Amino acid sequence: MVEQGEDRIRDAFENKSWQEIKVTDSWQIFKIMAEFVEGFEKMAKIGPCVSIFGSARTPRDHASYKLAEDCARLLTEKGYGVISGGGPGIMEAANKGAYEAGGKSVGLNIDLPFEQFHNQYIDRDKLLEFNYFFVRKVIFTKYSQGYIVLPGGFGTMDELFEAITLVQTGKIARFPIVLVGKEYYGGIFDWIKTQMLGAGNISEGDLSLYRLVDTAEEAVEHIFRFYNKYLLKPNF
């Protein structure tokens, strides 16, 4: 991995000509296109779903793992499908909760050199494999009717703030974004309120784009109430 990274650095600093055509770069477009096509074709059939995010490193005996299971089970009981990142930890818990409740779930797995492998609670035809994070994130946002975000790391933060930004800028329709774990996320969002809002870099209304809760029941109820306003609910 280190050697590959160093090769990329050296390649970026090589002298190049505008007339130079690098075939590998051009053909990469078709690999990206293929991932989009497969993702759109499979996910277009899924119906209303909620994405559940969180750390791949969460052990099965952790409270957050149980929270993710409960969120998925409650969503299934209300007729929603579940989308996860397809891997271990919180992702596994989400697929497991849906599976054991008799609901439907899919996994959008990413090819990584460590810690990411698809979990056992996803049917093979409900598993999509991605090489590119940005393609995977497009599929998440395009086919999710809500986000439930449990404690996670950089990847979870990336997906969370991408969704908030897309909603804030009107690039996608508003949907409910719920963070489960006030103690875990409280400090970040206190900082957003005091620093970002205080400096005028976001508006007061942006603070309403997400909700902080502590329980699975609160998280799912927020999503249910959001769509109930429009008299919308999944078909069982």
Side-chain angles (χ1 to χ4, degrees):
M1 283 299 297
V2 174
E3 289 181 2
Q4 286 182 350
E6 290 177 352
D7 288 344
R8 290 182 183 180
I9 293 170
R10 292 191 185 95
D11 182 63
F13 281 86
E14 285 181 2
N15 289 327
K16 295 180 177 67
S17 164
W18 281 103
Q19 284 72 45
E20 179 184 351
I21 299 174
K22 192 169 182 180
V23 176
T24 54
D25 285 355
S26 303
W27 279 99
Q28 196 170 29
I29 294 169
F30 295 98
K31 292 171 65 180
I32 293 166
M33 188 186 304
E35 289 198 359
F36 274 123
V37 169
E38 182 184 11
F40 288 168
E41 285 189 345
K42 286 191 175 181
M43 295 299 291
K45 306 166 187 174
I46 194 64
C49 282
V50 173
S51 290
I52 297 178
F53 296 100
S55 176
R57 304 181 187 191
T58 304
R60 291 171 180 165
D61 59 354
H62 196 280
S64 293
Y65 188 100
K66 180 65 166 61
L67 266 176
E69 279 189 86
D70 290 342
C71 285
R73 174 180 54 79
L74 292 169
L75 287 167
T76 293
E77 290 173 0
K78 290 188 178 294
Y80 287 95
V82 170
I83 302 174
S84 87
I90 295 296
M91 296 173 280
E92 177 186 284
N95 293 121
K96 180 183 178 185
Y99 175 82
E100 292 186 345
K104 60 185 177 183
S105 72
V106 298
L108 309 183
N109 197 39
I110 186 77
D111 183 23
L112 295 176
F114 59 91
E115 89 177 13
Q116 183 78 357
F117 49 88
H118 70 80
N119 65 69
Q120 62 185 329
Y121 298 101
I122 310 169
D123 292 337
R124 196 61 217 179
D125 63 338
K126 301 288 194 307
L127 177 69
L128 283 77
E129 302 276 3
F130 295 91
N131 286 304
Y132 301 98
F133 269 112
F134 70 91
V135 177
R136 182 177 181 241
K137 286 195 290 183
V138 168
I139 303 300
F140 268 124
T141 54
K142 182 174 176 60
Y143 294 102
S144 292
Q145 277 63 58
Y147 274 21
I148 293 179
V149 187
L150 287 102
F154 290 145
T156 302
M157 295 295 100
D158 178 43
E159 289 150 346
L160 167 64
F161 283 106
E162 173 111 359
I164 291 175
T165 301
L166 290 171
V167 172
Q168 179 205 41
T169 55
K171 292 299 183 181
I172 61 173
R174 182 167 182 175
F175 60 68
I177 300 170
V178 192
L179 295 97
V180 185
K182 290 181 182 178
E183 183 178 354
Y184 189 84
Y185 285 113
I188 296 172
F189 287 95
D190 284 344
W191 180 86
I192 286 172
K193 189 172 183 179
T194 57
Q195 298 298 321
M196 283 189 181
L197 182 62
N201 292 325
I202 61 172
S203 64
E204 185 79 35
D206 293 334
L207 300 178
S208 69
L209 298 179
Y210 54 85
R211 176 71 59 89
L212 260 65
V213 302
D214 269 328
T215 69
E217 288 78 11
E218 289 174 297
V220 174
E221 186 60 27
H222 176 66
I223 291 171
F224 188 72
R225 284 200 310 268
F226 181 93
Y227 288 110
N228 199 41
K229 289 187 300 186
Y230 307 102
L231 301 179
L232 293 172
K233 61 179 66 177
N235 295 316
F236 284 89

